[in-house]
């Protein structure tokens, strides 16, 4: 324990020197950051925040990084508190993601992602459709045919209603020529419950993050129908839906935002800090350990991506009757 | 035989002096953090996991097991001594445990909880090593209709244990069911009874309701009856500090029955840790030779549920290790602990990383043993907490309760709920409405509802699905019998009595 | 019980409880009136359980009123209301103080108010003990473990 503290002390000293010497002209990079995870400790957003904290300090990109958790309602409580409490604070960051886009719409949250300052998309995970090993449905064509024949007879097992899994299911049904709003989607609260329903073949098809299913496909208990990655993505565990003729591209992304009301220079400084982190080897190592894909995207490209996602998600949720038109 | 060899190998690693030290640090840290009501074992591990990042896998897993069991132990200790159950699985422990503690029998209550946990944990771990793959297959075959039937059994049998008046007990249960409605409906994503307050969308936290109803409501009730000081009188020690021969005699069967309920239900992906504790409590009350002691500090009511709680925790390892399915907050955190070392639990784990699995199992065993060794001598010290002056004791309990609620969810809406529900609980106590059914209804109601609707949704709306599965048909029959049996008996008894008149 | 005491006068508080239960039932049903299954083929929608709970509360409310009219409630002791007000007030003050003065003063206030409810007459000592508890909680859980708790002015000085 003492050895650790000493090492940390040395690191701290070096970090101060680095920060004092570094920093490019124009951008005001903060020496310390406060990262809010709008979720309880342990979940995906919290883990993202804590991995960021670890890499930012161990790589000496900032002197100190602090994580706070504000849990509740798909992150909508966190974002409201962030916008009110951190306005104009150049050291404040908030983790967010695809799930928050839907939660804001469904909960009719007064504070939306337009109120915060986008910095970058950090990671993403491709969605996957799977069936139990002994399912009569063997291919994406079988599934599409079954949906077209009677969309209500195909039950889907996945996460929360209106969440990324539900949206994936509705979009796929639409591509298969069925009415997406009639999808018989069975929502489950934890990943475990949904997995059990899929493994036992109780639901016709399972939908979720690709990494959840990888072990089960390897263990020959599940079969890939397809992943929602773009055609030609390398390093995938299974086939894409796109290469099988169903152009469904969807990633469950996580991103980082800054407070509203900061100056352009302060924003550039935060962007610089985040970019340094995202390009570091320590970050790459951590992502590999967690099984997260690096889908870093910053600047204008991220902003337009965000706009498209919000439009797309609100369209599907309207169709499902979860958001009033 | 091979498994025994592997377990032996795991144990050999776990008893190295350095690893014993890690286990010690984990157990102490876990207990310290776990005493705050809002922080259960899962959150304790989530908070302390970063500390283990820089250590080698074996040491880290061992410390992790220590933190986990320490967190659990800390939770039961505060349930028993301070009546502040922080998580759903230790609510039942508070019912009888705190009564015992108030009657000067805190020592035996803590001891039976600790030894029961140890016994249950050990047996469940042994069962895990032998039956895990087989049990996992059975567990995933359990469908929503079967869960619904299981929840029904739990609701009916537990309802039979409520207090003196059936009307008041069922009214309390209905209030609990109403509280359970608050929040987003799981199956359709629509808000229910949230009154436009974002903090209510996730539903009421069990911690908030339990702490308000038990700790705050009781503090108000005790404070208000100053005239009859004897009612609120707390005696730290009366009689033996240790379990007497009689206590042992009354504890060992509940330990075993609790294990028998906890392990299989814990292994079910949606079984949960609360259901076995409720069922164990109902069973012990039914089987006890002293049913009149229930509600006033019956040792069986601590021994059984605590064993069930621990056995179910070991049960959640079944789907986690064999199928890679995390079925509880704790299992999800364990998964994160594994992933820290690039280990992916699942069908391949036993093959690819057998040494780690056995190392973990061995360290759970060591952590459990260490807790017993450390804590039994401390029981006397813990119990003396109750001898501090009453006004400071309750002041401390309320501060702990409030901070614990904030730890589970750091919003002032939660504290406002504590105030409102505390006043409700005070009113209920005054008019002799039992408190426990509120919490039971709040926990079981949403589980039963979700599973019923899920079953019907998969079956395309056909209600026959509920009786087509042999498991659900059997369980529903049990529930109906438990519900109508006493009524029939009562009617029969009443007739006979009136005949005599 | 009523058999032994003979027919007694109506128990007004119990009747009020019954009316309260009926009011809660009304709120539950009214709030759930517009809920409908939004997608897919859900036989039992999100309104099923609220309606069931509403019906139960209504039933028990009516039964409670009947019991109250019969005067069958168990005897109650006279309550000392000031103690309850002290505890409830302590919680209310805590809610007001946490984000302004801070967690530590809020803990001190709750501790002292509760101690007062239990008859303590030394507010200074109680406040000091409460503040010490708050400080320990803050240092251990917030500073050491990184748990997020709401805080205010006092914590920003530490």
């Amino acid at each position: 324990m003492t050895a650790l503290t000493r090492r940390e002390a040395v690191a701290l000293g070096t970090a101060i020197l680095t920060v004092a010497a570094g920093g490019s002209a124009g951008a005001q990079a903060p020496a310390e950051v406060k990262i809010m995870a709008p979720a309880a400790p342990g979940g995906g957003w919290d883990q993202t925040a804590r991995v960021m904290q670890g890499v930012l300090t161990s790589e000496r990109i900032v002197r100190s990084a602090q994580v706070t958790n504000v849990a509740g309602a798909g992150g909508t409580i966190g974002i409201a508190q962030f916008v009110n409490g951190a306005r104009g604070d150049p050291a404040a960051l908030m983790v967010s993601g695809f799930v928050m886009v839907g939660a804001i719409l469904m909960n009719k949250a007064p504070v939306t992602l337009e109120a915060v300052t986008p910095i970058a998309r950090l990671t993403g995970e491709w969605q996957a459709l799977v069936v139990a090993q002994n399912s009569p449905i063997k291919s994406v064509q079988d599934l599409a045919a079954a949906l077209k024949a009677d969309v209500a007879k195909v039950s889907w097992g996945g996460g929360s209603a209106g969440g990324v899994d539900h949206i994936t299911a509705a979009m796929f049904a639409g591509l298969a020529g069925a009415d997406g709003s009639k999808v018989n989607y069975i929502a489950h609260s934890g990943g475990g419950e949904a997995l059990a329903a899929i493994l036992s073949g109780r639901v016709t098809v399972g939908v979720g993050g690709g990494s959840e299913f990888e072990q089960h496909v390897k263990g020959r208990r599940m079969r890939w129908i397809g992943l929602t990655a773009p055609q030609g993505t390398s390093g995938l565990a299974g086939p894409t839906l796109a290469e099988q003729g169903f152009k469904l591209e969807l990633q469950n992304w996580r991103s980082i935002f800054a407070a509203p009301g900061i100056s352009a220079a302060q924003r550039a400084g935060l962007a610089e800090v985040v970019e340094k982190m995202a390009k570091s080897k320590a970050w790459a190592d951590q992502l590999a350990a967690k099984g997260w894909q690096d889908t870093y995207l910053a600047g204008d490209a991220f902003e337009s991506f965000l706009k498209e996602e919000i439009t797309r998600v609100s369209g599907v949720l309207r169709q499902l009757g979860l958001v009033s038109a | 035989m091979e498994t025994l060899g592997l377990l032996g190998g795991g144990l050999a690693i776990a008893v190295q002096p350095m690893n014993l030290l890690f286990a010690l640090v984990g157990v102490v840290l876990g207990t310290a953090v776990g005493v705050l009501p809002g922080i259960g074992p899962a959150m304790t591990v989530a908070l302390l996991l970063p500390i283990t990042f820089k250590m080698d896998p074996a040491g880290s897993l061992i410390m992790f097991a220590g933190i986990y069991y320490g967190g659990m132990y800390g939770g039961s200790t505060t349930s028993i001594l301070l009546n502040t159950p922080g998580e759903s699985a230790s609510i039942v422990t508070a019912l009888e445990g705190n009564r015992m503690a108030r009657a000067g029998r805190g020592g035996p209550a803590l001891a039976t909880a600790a030894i029961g946990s140890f016994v249950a944990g050990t047996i469940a771990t042994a069962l895990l090593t032998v039956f895990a793959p087989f049990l996992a297959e059975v567990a995933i075959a359990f469908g929503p209709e079967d869960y619904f039937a299981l929840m029904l059994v739990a609701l009916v049998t537990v309802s039979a244990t409520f207090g003196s008046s059936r009307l008041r007990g069922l009214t309390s249960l209905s209030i609990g069911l109403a509280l359970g409605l608050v929040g987003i409906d799981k199956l359709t994503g629509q808000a229910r009874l949230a009154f436009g307050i974002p903090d209510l969308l996730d539903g009421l936290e069990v911690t908030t309701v339990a702490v308000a109803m038990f700790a705050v409501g009781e503090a108000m009730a005790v404070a208000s009856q100053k005239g009859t000081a004897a009612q609120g009188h707390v005696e730290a020690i009366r009689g033996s500090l240790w379990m007497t021969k009689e206590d042992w005699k009354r504890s060992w069967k509940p330990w075993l029955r609790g294990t028998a309920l906890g392990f299989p239900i814990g292994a079910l992906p949606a079984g949960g840790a609360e259901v076995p504790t409720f069922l164990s409590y109902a069973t012990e009350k039914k089987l006890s030779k002293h049913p009149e002691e229930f509600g006033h500090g019956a040792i069986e009511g601590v021994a059984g549920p605590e064993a069930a709680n621990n056995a179910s925790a070991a049960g959640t390892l079944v789907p986690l290790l064999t199928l890679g399915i995390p079925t509880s907050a704790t299992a999800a955190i364990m998964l994160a602990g594994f992933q820290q070392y690039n280990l992916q639990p699942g069908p391949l784990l036993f093959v690819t990383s057998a040494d780690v699995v056995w190392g973990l199992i061995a360290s759970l065993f060591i952590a459990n043993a260490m807790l017993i060794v450390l804590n039994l001598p401390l029981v006397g010290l813990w119990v003396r907490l109750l001898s501090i002056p009453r006004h400071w004791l309750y002041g401390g309990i309320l501060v702990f309760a409030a901070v614990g609620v904030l730890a589970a969810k750091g919003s002032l809406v939660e504290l406002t709920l504590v105030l409102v529900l505390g006043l409700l609980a005070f009113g209920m106590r005054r008019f002799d409405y039992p408190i426990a059914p509120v919490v039971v209804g709040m926990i079981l109601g949403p589980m039963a509802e979700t599973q019923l609707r899920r079953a019907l949704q998969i079956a395309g709306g056909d209600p026959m699905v509920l009786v087509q599965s042999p498991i659900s048909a059997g369980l529903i029959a049990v529930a109906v019998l438990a519900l109508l049996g006493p009524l029939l008996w009562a009617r029969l008894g009443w007739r006979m009595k009136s005949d005599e008149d | 019980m009523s058999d032994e005491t003979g027919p007694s006068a109506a128990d007004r508080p119990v009747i009020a409880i019954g009316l309260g239960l009926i009011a809660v039932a009304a709120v539950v049903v009214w709030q759930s009136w517009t809920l409908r299954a939004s997608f897919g083929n859900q036989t039992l929608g999100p309104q099923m359980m609220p309606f069931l709970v509403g019906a139960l509360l209504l039933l028990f409310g009516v039964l409670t009123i009947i019991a109250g009219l019969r005067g069958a409630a168990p005897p109650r002791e006279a309550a000392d209301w000031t103690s309850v007000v002290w505890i409830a007030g302590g919680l209310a003050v805590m809610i007001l103080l946490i984000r302004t003065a801070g967690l530590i003063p809020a803990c001190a206030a709750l501790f002292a108010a509760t101690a007062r409810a239990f008859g303590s007459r030394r507010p200074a000592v109680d406040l000091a003990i409460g503040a010490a508890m708050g400080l320990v909680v803050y240092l251990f859980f917030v500073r050491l473990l990184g748990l997020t708790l709401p805080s205010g002015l006092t914590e920003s000085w530490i």
Side-chain angles (χ1 to χ4, degrees):
Chain A
M1 287 282 170
T2 17
L4 257 180
T5 354
R6 200 182 309 132
R7 200 187 311 149
E8 271 167 5
V10 174
L12 200 74
T14 332
I16 295 167
L17 289 176
T18 327
V19 170
S24 64
Q28 298 173 6
E32 45 186 56
V33 291
K34 292 172 272 185
I35 310 168
M36 174 198 275
W45 288 342
D46 174 66
Q47 287 184 46
T48 305
R50 290 184 195 269
V51 169
M52 282 184 71
Q53 176 187 35
V55 174
L56 283 171
T57 48
S58 73
E59 295 295 295
R60 294 159 201 179
I61 300 166
V62 294
R63 185 153 32 106
S64 81
Q66 217 186 352
V67 172
T68 56
N69 298 88
V70 181
T76 54
I77 292 174
I79 192 177
Q81 196 165 314
F82 185 71
V83 165
N84 293 330
R87 182 174 297 277
D89 183 349
L93 289 171
M94 178 190 73
V95 179
S96 176
F98 187 95
V99 178
M100 198 189 272
V101 175
I104 286 171
L105 291 162
M106 285 182 35
N107 300 343
K108 302 181 191 75
V111 177
T112 70
L113 282 170
E114 269 152 37
V116 289
T117 310
I119 297 293
R121 181 179 75 193
L122 293 174
T123 64
E125 187 178 8
W126 306 112
Q127 288 285 102
L129 307 187
V130 289
V131 291
Q133 188 73 20
N134 56 2
S135 163
I137 288 172
K138 304 281 180 216
S139 67
V140 65
Q141 276 75 25
D142 289 353
L143 179 62
L147 281 166
K148 220 172 166 184
D150 186 352
V151 66
K153 282 242 168 74
V154 177
S155 53
W156 296 73
S160 59
V164 60
D165 299 343
H166 194 178
I167 288 172
T168 310
M171 287 176 75
F172 182 83
L175 280 178
D179 181 352
S181 72
K182 296 243 161 42
V183 160
N184 191 17
Y185 184 79
I186 324 283
H188 292 78
S189 26
E193 265 188 88
L195 275 176
I198 301 164
L199 280 172
S200 62
R202 217 162 262 280
V203 290
T204 324
V205 50
V207 54
S211 67
E212 283 177 62
F213 302 135
E214 220 175 306
Q215 279 288 310
H216 302 284
V217 175
K218 270 190 205 152
R220 306 184 61 76
R221 305 199 50 141
M222 281 184 188
R223 207 191 289 275
W224 295 116
I225 292 295
L227 288 150
T228 61
Q231 196 162 356
T233 310
S234 59
L236 291 177
T240 63
L241 289 168
E243 75 197 37
Q244 302 175 80
F246 292 83
K247 203 173 166 335
L248 175 53
E249 287 175 17
L250 189 71
Q251 62 167 301
N252 187 0
W253 46 269
R254 291 186 198 138
S255 55
I256 191 87
F257 289 84
I262 56 171
S263 73
Q266 289 166 336
R267 182 180 178 180
L270 278 172
E272 198 173 85
V273 163
V274 171
E275 183 171 5
K276 257 189 210 157
M277 176 202 74
K279 298 274 160 72
S280 70
K281 189 178 171 299
W283 177 252
D285 291 345
Q286 285 286 339
L287 293 202
K290 298 258 176 203
W292 297 342
Q293 304 296 311
D294 182 359
T295 60
Y296 180 75
L297 186 72
D300 295 342
F302 174 54
E303 273 191 65
S304 53
F305 166 80
L306 190 63
K307 276 205 187 87
E308 282 164 34
E309 286 291 270
I310 294 174
T311 317
R312 183 156 81 144
V313 170
S314 65
V316 177
L317 290 178
R318 265 197 199 100
Q319 190 198 4
L320 289 172
L322 290 172
V323 173
S324 46
Chain B
M1 277 305 102
E2 199 194 349
T3 52
L4 277 182
L6 287 163
L7 183 59
L11 277 173
I13 295 172
V15 294
Q16 286 167 10
M18 202 53 201
N19 289 338
L20 281 178
L21 186 68
F22 283 135
L24 178 69
V25 172
V27 162
V28 171
L29 273 176
T31 312
V33 177
V35 293
L36 201 60
I39 308 185
M43 189 135 156
T44 310
V45 175
L47 283 170
L48 296 176
L49 204 56
I51 298 178
T52 67
F53 268 134
K54 291 164 190 152
M55 300 174 4
D56 76 302
S60 166
L61 278 178
I62 287 166
M63 187 153 143
F64 172 93
I67 293 170
Y68 172 62
Y69 272 119
M72 231 158 143
Y73 190 86
S76 351
T77 304
T78 45
S79 263
I80 291 172
L81 293 180
L82 307 180
N83 203 19
T84 52
E87 18 132 37
S88 40
S90 56
I91 286 168
V92 177
T93 310
L95 290 183
E96 300 302 323
N98 188 250
R99 292 288 142 221
M100 286 181 72
R102 268 153 203 288
R105 310 233 311 126
L110 287 173
T112 198
I115 301 169
S117 298
F118 177 74
V119 170
T122 307
I123 296 177
T125 309
L127 291 174
L128 173 76
T129 56
V130 183
F131 292 116
F134 161 75
L135 207 68
E137 295 304 317
V138 179
I140 61 161
F142 229 71
E145 58 278 2
D146 306 321
Y147 284 114
F148 169 69
L150 179 67
M151 304 305 160
L152 216 57
V153 171
L155 261 174
V156 170
T157 51
V158 177
S159 301
T161 65
F162 298 156
S164 54
S165 150
R166 198 173 288 256
L167 172 61
R168 286 195 293 274
L170 289 175
T171 305
S172 293
L173 184 73
S174 306
I175 292 173
L177 292 175
L179 293 177
L181 289 174
V182 174
I184 289 173
D185 170 44
K186 285 205 180 66
L187 293 180
T188 63
Q190 298 175 76
R192 296 195 299 200
L193 296 182
F195 306 99
I197 302 168
D199 296 89
L200 294 182
L201 286 174
D202 289 334
L204 301 178
E205 291 279 334
V206 173
T207 307
T208 306
V209 177
V211 153
M213 295 246 124
F214 285 84
V216 177
E218 187 192 79
M220 288 177 175
V222 173
S224 77
Q225 38 180 238
K226 238 184 292 183
T228 51
Q231 283 264 342
H233 180 69
V234 174
E235 200 170 347
I237 303 167
R238 177 192 285 163
S240 171
L241 178 62
W242 302 105
M243 286 171 70
T244 60
K245 214 171 163 191
E246 170 76 5
D247 290 333
W248 280 95
K249 230 175 98 191
R250 289 176 59 177
S251 287
W252 72 271
K253 280 186 196 154
W255 291 337
L256 297 184
R257 283 193 288 259
T259 310
L261 283 167
F263 182 66
I265 296 178
L268 295 175
E274 309 88 0
V275 176
T277 61
F278 294 157
L279 285 173
S280 163
Y281 183 78
T283 311
E284 294 315 327
K285 187 169 180 187
K286 191 96 203 157
L287 295 179
S288 171
K289 289 197 186 86
H290 315 271
E292 74 287 349
E293 276 183 30
F294 274 73
H296 307 282
I299 194 164
E300 295 92 337
V302 181
E306 269 298 302
N309 180 9
N310 248 45
S312 93
T316 57
L317 290 178
V318 171
L320 179 70
L321 295 180
T322 56
L323 300 172
I325 303 183
T327 55
S328 65
T330 309
I333 293 294
M334 291 213 170
L335 194 62
F338 275 108
Q339 280 166 341
Q340 209 169 297
Y341 304 107
N342 277 329
L343 298 168
Q344 186 69 43
L348 306 179
L349 186 68
F350 270 96
V351 185
T352 55
S353 324
D355 49 338
V356 180
V357 177
W358 294 110
L360 175 77
I361 291 175
S363 47
L364 287 174
F365 190 78
I366 294 279
N368 224 337
M370 188 164 270
L371 265 175
I372 285 269
V373 172
L374 276 180
N375 277 298
L376 283 183
L378 286 177
V379 161
L381 196 72
W382 282 120
V383 168
R384 281 199 180 79
L385 263 183
L386 293 179
S387 49
I388 51 182
R390 209 166 63 123
H391 53 277
W392 285 342
L393 177 66
Y394 276 97
I397 289 176
L398 254 73
V399 168
F400 244 59
V403 175
V405 162
L406 290 173
K409 201 169 167 187
S411 141
L412 296 190
V413 174
E414 294 302 311
L415 268 192
T416 313
L417 281 170
V418 168
L419 174 55
V420 172
L421 294 172
L423 286 169
L424 173 71
F426 166 67
M428 289 177 69
R429 268 168 217 268
R430 235 184 107 58
F431 289 92
D432 203 25
Y433 282 83
I435 298 296
V438 178
V439 186
V440 169
M442 186 194 141
I443 292 170
L444 289 182
M447 289 170 110
E449 181 202 359
T450 306
Q451 299 292 0
L452 172 65
R453 286 169 58 198
R454 217 176 255 159
L456 288 173
Q457 207 189 335
I458 293 177
D462 180 8
M464 290 306 287
V465 68
L466 297 180
V467 288
Q468 273 163 357
S469 143
I471 303 175
S472 73
L475 286 171
I476 287 177
V478 170
V480 170
L481 271 178
L483 186 69
L484 297 183
L487 285 177
L488 287 176
W489 280 119
R491 175 141 303 186
L492 218 62
W494 178 73
R495 279 238 179 96
M496 278 153 67
K497 218 176 177 183
S498 50
D499 284 349
E500 280 164 27
D501 291 348
Chain C
M1 254 176 270
S2 55
D3 292 21
E4 287 163 291
T5 51
S8 54
D11 191 334
R12 283 210 194 140
V14 173
I15 296 173
I17 292 174
L19 291 174
L21 288 171
I22 294 173
V24 174
V27 171
V28 168
V29 172
W30 166 58
Q31 284 283 315
S32 316
W33 200 251
T34 53
L35 289 174
R36 285 295 169 269
S38 47
F39 58 86
N41 47 345
Q42 307 210 0
T43 337
L44 295 177
Q47 72 279 19
M48 177 273 295
M49 192 68 175
F51 287 0
L52 178 68
V53 173
L56 285 175
L57 286 168
L58 179 68
L59 172 71
F60 296 134
V62 171
L63 290 176
T64 304
I65 292 177
I66 295 172
L69 289 171
R70 284 188 186 154
R76 297 179 290 278
E77 296 168 44
D80 170 19
W81 292 98
T82 40
S83 305
V84 179
V85 171
W86 270 109
I87 295 177
L91 276 166
V93 169
M94 181 180 207
I95 294 167
L96 291 178
L97 287 186
I98 286 191
R99 287 213 198 277
T100 50
L103 179 73
I104 295 167
C107 285
L110 178 63
F111 187 88
T114 310
R116 178 72 176 69
F118 280 88
S120 167
R121 287 289 179 277
R122 288 189 296 169
V125 179
D126 297 341
L127 280 171
I129 297 175
M133 266 188 88
L135 181 67
V136 170
V137 162
Y138 178 76
L139 289 180
F140 186 68
F141 288 97
V142 179
R143 282 294 164 90
L144 198 68
L145 293 177
L147 188 75
T148 308
L149 289 175
S151 57
L153 197 60
T154 315
E155 286 77 30
S156 63
W157 297 335
I158 301 172

